[in-house]
Amino acid sequence: MVAISISLLRQYIYYSPNNHHCCYINMMPDMSLSTSSSLPFLSSSSLLPPPLSMQCMRSSHRSSIFLPTLLFLLLGFQALAVASIRVDVIRKPVSTFPAFREAPAFRNGDECPQPSLSPSARIDIAMTLDANYLRGTMAAILSILQHTACPESVVFHFLTTHLEQNIITSIRSTFPYLNYHVYRFDSGRVRGRISRSIRQALDQPLNYARIYLADILPLDVGRVIYLDSDVIVADDIRTLWQVDLKNHVVAAPEYCHTNFSKYFTDAFWADAELSKTFNGRRPCYFNTGVMVMDVKGWREGGYTKMVEDWMMVQKHKRIYHLGSLPPFLLVLAGNIKPVDHRWNQHGLGGDNWEGRCRSLHPGPINLLHWSGKGKPWLRLDSRRPCAVDYLWAPYDLYQSSSPTLEE
């Protein structure tokens, strides 16, 4: 009688046709075989490579016959066995939700007034929370706290379409000392107003949440800095916070040398009634991923409805291609408070089609912005980074649980 008990294939075996490597990722205990017959004892060490976290060997004549030989031997034992063979395949549960290292604690400098004693010293920052961009959000938060003299004076306001416990837990565990609030954004407010744009990511309801900041934030928030999740702040955020808005509801870097007409379709410019919306102002492009907003002024001026009205025009007549940006331009271009360009070195994610690498613009930089298709964490993970992505990497708190070839 032969009694064989096999706990086999507690490894993942894959073959990469690109580099001709056969890789074994040893994630669980080795195979064990026992026999009471006169058959020679077959140990796991005689079949499988040494138990490393990952092993790769270049495909050759020797390695090309390795797996067939292994399978042949195993099937042969099954044929010889009088008793049945039990094969257990156990996969270790894998969480797809990213894990992050805990960030260091940052404390206010001596020159910072206590927020509890001086509410005017508070700096309110709004960002969106999305699982797909959470890694970028974490890096952005770290950069803000690391470069300001008054990190304890910063209050974050996070907008999300779903109050996912995993995301909230990640924020709390990564930044245990962070002062923040989370608000649910009702995607139904924009779902019937969103038109298809040139990139699917621009069509997500959360991309339009910035329009509704005045409706979502508490009444005691009179001013807020809105930031996209793909930014790194390299200077004290207080400098941007203290910009003099004068009579404007939005302050942002303004780019008047950009071809403004390209943000709208020929149908828009050919319509005399629509195109005259810019009469009396000099419209210039600005990026809505970095802006200071007078929340009270926005609310009292009815700017949310103005933006929504242009979104409904777009539903009936295609007048632009780029998500939430063009309706902002239609309402505000030429009527914002300009901010120094150093506060938005944008376009580092390349264009909206291919995300090709771009170089930094000359001049001082206070904020790096990977607007465009290419995101630094994705390009770094794919091992095809752009040079500017290495400026983002030091702020990455992502804690990978997967073994790599270097480990």
Side-chain angles (χ1 to χ4, degrees):
M1 295 292 291
V2 179
I4 301 178
S5 176
I6 302 176
S7 292
L8 181 61
L9 296 180
R10 298 190 173 198
Q11 306 184 28
Y12 290 99
I13 303 175
Y14 70 90
Y15 178 74
S16 174
N18 294 328
N19 55 15
H20 305 291
H21 280 62
C22 183
C23 297
Y24 303 81
I25 307 176
N26 193 14
M27 300 182 67
M28 300 177 196
D30 292 333
M31 174 183 68
S32 62
L33 294 166
S34 63
T35 175
S36 59
S37 73
S38 59
L39 291 173
F41 180 77
L42 185 62
S43 69
S44 61
S45 60
S46 65
L47 285 178
L48 299 180
L52 300 176
S53 59
M54 176 179 282
Q55 298 186 0
C56 290
M57 62 183 178
R58 186 168 299 279
S59 179
S60 64
H61 174 72
R62 182 179 179 182
S63 62
S64 64
I65 65 173
F66 178 83
L67 289 179
T69 302
L70 171 61
L71 294 175
F72 175 79
L73 288 172
L74 293 175
L75 292 173
F77 275 113
Q78 183 179 15
L80 291 172
V82 177
S84 62
I85 298 176
R86 185 187 66 188
V87 179
D88 296 325
V89 179
I90 304 175
R91 284 187 171 87
K92 187 177 181 180
V94 177
S95 173
T96 58
F97 199 82
F100 300 92
R101 301 186 302 276
E102 182 178 327
F106 297 96
R107 302 302 180 192
N108 279 359
D110 294 337
E111 72 273 25
C112 303
Q114 291 298 322
S116 58
L117 302 178
S118 178
S120 60
R122 190 181 69 191
I123 302 169
D124 293 294
I125 297 177
M127 302 180 72
T128 57
L129 278 182
D130 185 314
N132 294 320
Y133 290 85
L134 185 59
R135 191 167 164 187
T137 303
M138 294 293 198
I141 296 171
L142 176 61
S143 71
I144 293 167
L145 299 176
Q146 183 171 319
H147 292 292
T148 181
C150 305
E152 293 178 284
S153 301
V154 179
V155 179
F156 287 89
H157 303 269
F158 297 121
L159 282 61
T160 181
T161 52
H162 304 286
L163 294 174
E164 298 182 43
Q165 188 58 44
N166 283 341
I167 294 181
I168 307 304
T169 300
S170 290
I171 294 288
R172 186 181 300 119
S173 61
T174 305
F175 300 99
Y177 46 85
L178 194 68
N179 190 352
Y180 70 94
H181 307 279
V182 179
Y183 311 87
R184 182 180 177 274
F185 171 63
D186 182 7
S187 59
R189 297 195 65 171
V190 293
R191 201 170 293 282
R193 296 184 172 94
I194 296 176
S195 300
R196 185 176 181 181
S197 64
I198 61 173
R199 187 157 58 91
Q200 186 177 5
L202 301 176
D203 301 338
Q204 302 307 308
L206 199 55
N207 194 42
Y208 292 81
R210 69 197 79 186
I211 300 170
Y212 300 92
L213 287 172
D215 299 333
I216 297 172
L217 298 178
L219 294 178
D220 66 334
V221 178
R223 170 184 291 211
V224 71
I225 297 175
Y226 177 83
L227 297 175
D228 276 348
S229 297
D230 51 2
V231 305
I232 291 294
V233 178
D235 203 350
D236 198 326
I237 196 69
R238 294 184 303 163
T239 305
L240 181 60
W241 174 257
Q242 293 165 358
V243 64
D244 185 1
L245 281 166
K246 298 188 183 296
N247 296 320
H248 304 285
V249 294
V250 165
E254 196 175 48
Y255 305 89
C256 294
H257 297 294
T258 302
N259 181 7
F260 187 79
S261 63
K262 71 178 181 180
Y263 293 99
F264 302 95
T265 64
D266 292 339
F268 171 82
W269 295 112
D271 190 312
E273 188 65 26
L274 294 177
S275 59
K276 75 178 184 180
T277 186
F278 294 115
N279 288 354
R281 49 184 168 138
R282 184 194 176 197
C284 297
Y285 163 77
F286 68 95
N287 185 285
T288 58
V290 179
M291 57 182 178
V292 184
M293 178 183 291
D294 177 355
V295 180
K296 182 180 178 181
W298 181 283
R299 186 185 300 116
E300 293 176 350
Y303 283 88
T304 296
K305 186 178 185 308
M306 294 183 202
V307 175
E308 286 180 336
D309 287 346
W310 279 112
M311 292 171 65
M312 293 311 297
V313 172
Q314 165 77 349
K315 293 290 289 186
H316 296 94
K317 184 175 184 176
R318 193 162 183 81
I319 59 175
Y320 55 78
H321 300 297
L322 276 174
S324 64
L325 171 64
F328 264 92
L329 297 178
L330 286 162
V331 173
L332 291 165
N335 192 26
I336 69 169
K337 170 66 176 178
V339 174
D340 195 300
H341 289 178
R342 70 178 66 196
W343 280 104
N344 195 352
Q345 178 85 205
H346 68 285
L348 301 183
D351 56 71
N352 281 298
W353 292 272
E354 298 180 11
R356 293 179 178 177
C357 295
R358 288 183 178 174
S359 302
L360 295 174
H361 303 297
I365 300 171
N366 291 6
L367 185 146
L368 299 156
H369 188 186
W370 278 261
S371 57
K373 185 178 181 180
K375 302 306 174 190
W377 56 92
L378 297 178
R379 296 194 297 212
L380 286 164
D381 285 354
S382 67
R383 302 192 180 184
R384 299 182 63 183
C386 298
V388 295
D389 297 341
Y390 291 106
L391 299 175
W392 181 89
Y395 302 93
D396 186 14
L397 292 171
Y398 175 64
Q399 190 169 16
S400 176
S401 59
S402 301
T404 64
L405 291 175
E406 285 79 8
E407 292 178 341

